[in-house]
Amino acid sequence: MAYKDYYEVLGVSRSASEADIKSAYRRLAKKYHPDKNAGDDSAAERFKEIGEAYAVLSDSDKRKLYDQYGHTGQVPPGGYPGGGFQGSDFGGFDPSQFSDFFQEMFGGRVGGAGGGRGGFTAPDGTPISIEDLFGGMGGAGMGGAGTGGGRRFVQNVEGELQVSLREAYEGSDEIINVDGKRLSLRVPAGTRDGSRLRLAGQGPGGGDVLLTIRVLEDGRFDLDGDDLTTSVDVPAPVAALGGEVTVQTLTGSGKLNVPAGSSGGRRMRLRGQGWPKKSGGKGDLYVRLNVTVPKDLSEEQRRLYEQLRDLG
C-alpha cells in the first residue's frame, strides 16, 4: 500500500496547529459530504480519507506516532516499546500494556469498508489476529493453547470505532472483525464521543472486546452539550422583509421563519432538534443566519437594488 500523507490529505503543513487542522477538516468534510455528492463514489472515498486523516492528526498522541512512523506502521527502529521480544521474554511480558501501540501500528482504528468498520487490520485491509501479533512467544499464543503444554492466554482487546455524527445521533448497527470473527454490535442513539462499549467474552481466548466510540465531526454541525449549531443562507430580501427558509437537520430538513429586519450572524432556535438527552427529550438546534446577495444580477435585480441604494 502506498504511503498516505495525512497532512497532504487535509492540505495543511506538518507544523499546522490544532485549529488549522480542524478548520481544514471542516472545510473539506463540508465539500465532500455524501449528502452533497449523492452517487459520487470518488467523493465518498475522499470523505472517508479526510475523516481518517483528521482522526489521526487531531489526536496529539496519534499524531506524534504518525509523525514518527508514518501511515504504513513499520516497526520502529530498535523494535517495539520495551525492546525486541524473544521467546524467553514472554514469562514477564504483559501484552495489554502495549495494546494501544499495536492498534495504532496495525490499523486498530476502525474505518474500513466492505467487511465492516471494526476490527484490527493491516494497512492493506487484511485482518490481523492477536496470534499474528504475539504468536510463538514462549510457546503460548494469544487465543490458543500454544505448544509444549502452555496455558491458554485470555486477553482483552481494545480498539476504536468511528461513526458519523448522524449515526451517533440515531444509533447504528455495526459489524467488526476481531481475531477472524465477525461481531455485531449496536451503537446506542445519542452516543457521545469517547463512550465505551464492551463485548464480553468475544476477545481472543474468551477475553473482552473494549471499544471506544469516536464520533467524526460532520462539518455542518457543532455539538455543544445537548445543543447543535448550524448555519443557513438567507437571501437579502428575505432577511429584510421576513420569510421562510429551509434548514438542514441531522435527519432531514425543517422550516425556519426568519423575522423581517434580520441581520447576518443572528442566531435562532429550533426547539427539540438537538442531541438526545440522557434524562429524555432532546436539546435544541441553533441556526446562525448567513445573509447572502446574488453574485450575478439580472437587469431587473440591478435596477431594484439601485433603487434601494438610492433610497438608503
Side-chain angles (χ1 to χ4, degrees):
M1 183 176 180
Y3 178 81
K4 187 180 296 184
D5 189 332
Y6 286 149
Y7 292 98
E8 185 176 311
V9 169
L10 293 182
V12 297
S13 69
R14 301 187 72 86
S15 60
S17 66
E18 292 182 9
D20 292 337
I21 290 172
K22 187 172 186 178
S23 176
Y25 169 75
R26 287 184 174 180
R27 174 175 53 80
L28 292 172
K30 185 174 183 180
K31 178 179 179 180
Y32 291 101
H33 196 281
D35 288 352
K36 289 190 173 183
N37 300 273
D40 188 340
D41 292 340
S42 62
E45 183 63 28
R46 183 83 170 97
F47 183 76
K48 184 177 72 174
E49 187 179 53
I50 292 164
E52 178 182 323
Y54 180 72
V56 173
L57 299 185
S58 63
D59 185 297
S60 58
D61 292 334
K62 292 179 183 179
R63 183 178 180 181
K64 181 178 180 181
L65 190 68
Y66 173 78
D67 287 343
Q68 192 169 2
Y69 302 122
H71 172 268
T72 57
Q74 66 266 29
V75 177
Y80 296 115
F85 301 129
Q86 304 297 327
S88 59
D89 296 332
F90 187 72
F93 169 59
D94 177 10
S96 64
Q97 64 180 305
F98 297 105
S99 61
D100 290 341
F101 177 83
F102 281 105
Q103 288 162 32
E104 295 298 336
M105 288 291 97
F106 293 91
R109 178 186 49 72
V110 178
R117 296 176 301 159
F120 304 92
T121 58
D124 63 359
T126 304
I128 293 180
S129 70
I130 301 300
E131 288 181 329
D132 293 330
L133 300 183
F134 298 98
M137 296 186 294
M142 305 289 278
T147 59
R151 292 185 298 172
R152 186 178 182 84
F153 194 90
V154 177
Q155 170 69 13
N156 292 340
V157 177
E158 296 192 25
E160 293 185 353
L161 177 64
Q162 292 182 358
V163 296
S164 69
L165 192 67
R166 179 169 179 172
E167 288 170 333
Y169 177 85
E170 295 183 317
S172 65
D173 294 309
E174 306 291 343
I175 296 177
I176 63 174
N177 296 311
V178 177
D179 201 23
K181 295 190 300 183
R182 287 167 61 85
L183 305 178
S184 300
L185 61 99
R186 175 70 181 174
V187 176
T191 293
R192 306 278 181 152
D193 183 73
S195 299
R196 302 263 285 179
L197 294 180
R198 177 173 176 263
L199 303 180
Q202 298 299 310
D208 298 339
V209 177
L210 306 172
L211 293 175
T212 300
I213 304 300
R214 293 302 176 196
V215 180
L216 297 174
E217 292 194 32
D218 186 275
R220 300 172 301 168
F221 298 91
D222 290 324
L223 176 61
D224 182 13
D226 297 322
D227 298 326
L228 289 165
T229 299
T230 188
S231 61
V232 63
D233 290 342
V234 179
V238 175
L241 303 175
E244 192 176 71
V245 294
T246 300
V247 177
Q248 293 299 314
T249 66
L250 273 176
T251 57
S253 61
K255 297 296 184 180
L256 178 68
N257 288 315
V258 178
S262 294
S263 58
R266 178 173 182 173
R267 277 165 49 102
M268 301 186 66
R269 178 169 61 178
L270 291 176
R271 295 183 181 275
Q273 295 294 319
W275 204 257
K277 298 180 179 179
K278 292 182 179 179
S279 58
K282 295 180 180 178
D284 299 326
L285 173 62
Y286 287 89
V287 182
R288 186 169 46 249
L289 305 185
N290 178 32
V291 178
T292 62
V293 294
K295 293 182 179 179
D296 298 314
L297 297 174
S298 67
E299 289 299 322
E300 179 65 13
Q301 287 174 322
R302 180 175 295 279
R303 183 181 65 80
L304 293 173
Y305 269 105
E306 288 174 347
Q307 289 180 359
L308 287 173
R309 181 194 62 193
D310 295 340
L311 289 173

